[in-house]
Structure formats: structure tokens, C-alpha cells
């Protein structure tokens, strides 16, 4: 598969392109459900995030337990790690400058880890980490959208031969 991506043949190979398009379709679904899930449970305001993790007597919400956070983290760390690894790997072959790719990939991983850690920090360290949760969520959603759109655009873009030659040399 990687040979098709490196040589730019992924835009001509219909089956490979279909696989990537389906992956991007599922990726967009993950992006959308991630946002819907977040806004169903809390909002972008400090109080709702703190109440979600630390509990609220007014709303009769208990604080998130250690066990619940552990179960969520266990699933998210695996799923998001594999998802971002796959999407980032495809972005390596998008015709962006290397520094842009480096920043985009690092920001996506850091925001995903920060998003996961923030819940623990709100619950067990200090409520002010709610700002980290909000920022990490927004950054994660933004970087995932850029990754998805970039790969989609690269599928339909003609890659210059010089760029393909640079990719081959980098291997």
C-alpha cells in the first residue's frame, strides 16, 4: 500500500482510493460524534466541564469515579492512538512542507493526550484544568479536521513529480 502512496499512484488505484475514502468517511463520523458527545455531556464553559468531572450537587451529579475514568482512558488511549497514527501516516504523503506536517502531527497527538489527561486532572488535581480540557478538545477537533480534509484533498490533487522524487529520497 505504501508504494502506491509514495509514488502518487494512490490517486490512480481505484481500490486503494476507495479504501482511503471509506477510512476518511469513518474519520469524519468519529470527528462528528466526538463533538456531539462532548456537547451532549458538557459545553465549552468552565462550569459545565467542572460539573461533568467533579460533580454537581445542584444538578445531582456525582463526581466521576476512578473506575469510570480508567475505563474511558483505557479505550480512548488505544482507539485514538491507532486512529491518529493511521491518519498522521497518510498525511506524511500530503504535499505540505515538512515543518507543517511535523506541527500538525505533534499538535494532534498532544491535544488527544491532553484531552484525555484533563479529565483526570480536573477530578483529582484542580478544577482549573477545565480550561485545558476545553482547549485540548478544540485543538483536537481542529487538527483532526485538517488531517481529514488534507488527505481527502491529496486524493484528488495531482502531485508534482518533483515532490514525489523528494518523497522517494526521504525513505
Amino acid at each position: 500500500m505504501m508504494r502506491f502512496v509514495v509514488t502518487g499512484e494512490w490517486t490512480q488505484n481505484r481500490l486503494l482510493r476507495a479504501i482511503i475514502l471509506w477510512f476518511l468517511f469513518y474519520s469524519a463520523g468519529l470527528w462528528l460524534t466526538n463533538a456531539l458527545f462532548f456537547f451532549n455531556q458538557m459545553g465549552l464553559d468552565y462550569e459545565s466541564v467542572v460539573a461533568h468531572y467533579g460533580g454537581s450537587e445542584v444538578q445531582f451529579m456525582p463526581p466521576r469515579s476512578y473506575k469510570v475514568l480508567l475505563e474511558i482512558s483505557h479505550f480512548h488511549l488505544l482507539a485514538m492512538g491507532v486512529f491518529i497514527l493511521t491518519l498522521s501516516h497518510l498525511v506524511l504523503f500530503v504535499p505540505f512542507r515538512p515543518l507543517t506536517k511535523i506541527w500538525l502531527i505533534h499538535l494532534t497527538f498532544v491535544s488527544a493526550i491532553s484531552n484525555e489527561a484533563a479529565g483526570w486532572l480536573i477530578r483529582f488535581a484542580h478544577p482549573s484544568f477545565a480550561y485545558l480540557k476545553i482547549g485540548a478538545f478544540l485543538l483536537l477537533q481542529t487538527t483532526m479536521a485538517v488531517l481529514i480534509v488534507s488527505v481527502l484533498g491529496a486524493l484528488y490533487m495531482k502531485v508534482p513529480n518533483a515532490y514525489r522524487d523528494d518523497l522517494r529520497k526521504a525513505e
Side-chain angles (χ1 to χ4, degrees), residues 38-58:
F38 184 91
F39 290 116
N40 183 55
Q41 298 208 344
M42 61 195 123
L44 293 177
D45 60 294
Y46 174 85
E47 291 80 17
S48 69
V49 176
V50 171
H52 178 75
Y53 289 98
S56 169
E57 289 183 21
V58 174

Side-chain angles (χ1 to χ4, degrees), residues 2-50:
M2 291 318 305
R3 178 181 67 85
F4 293 112
V5 178
V6 171
T7 62
E9 294 175 54
W10 69 332
T11 59
Q12 285 82 40
N13 185 311
R14 288 179 137 173
L15 184 55
L16 181 57
R17 198 157 115 179
I19 291 168
I20 294 170
L21 283 171
W22 277 113
F23 175 73
L24 294 174
F25 177 75
Y26 273 84
S27 299
L30 173 70
W31 182 88
L32 178 62
T33 56
N34 194 44
L36 293 173
F37 192 67
F38 184 91
F39 290 116
N40 183 55
Q41 298 208 344
M42 61 195 123
L44 293 177
D45 60 294
Y46 174 85
E47 291 80 17
S48 69
V49 176
V50 171

Side-chain angles (χ1 to χ4, degrees), residues 49-143:
V49 176
V50 171
H52 178 75
Y53 289 98
S56 169
E57 289 183 21
V58 174
Q59 298 173 344
F60 302 106
M61 289 173 48
R64 289 280 164 145
S65 70
Y66 172 82
K67 182 182 176 192
V68 167
L69 288 174
L70 189 60
E71 287 173 352
I72 291 168
S73 291
H74 178 71
F75 174 75
H76 281 180
L77 290 172
L78 172 66
M80 289 302 289
V82 171
F83 171 71
I84 296 170
L85 170 72
T86 305
L87 200 51
S88 295
H89 196 76
L90 291 172
V91 166
L92 289 176
F93 304 101
V94 171
F96 286 160
R97 292 185 302 166
L99 189 59
T100 303
K101 293 177 193 181
I102 289 168
W103 274 100
L104 189 55
I105 291 167
H106 283 289
L107 284 174
T108 306
F109 275 103
V110 167
S111 62
I113 291 168
S114 298
N115 190 46
E116 198 59 41
W120 287 90
L121 293 169
I122 294 164
R123 175 64 178 94
F124 295 110
H126 196 276
S128 65
F129 284 105
Y131 294 114
L132 174 64
K133 179 70 177 180
I134 294 166
F137 168 76
L138 291 172
L139 183 60
L140 178 61
Q141 288 297 104
T142 301
T143 56

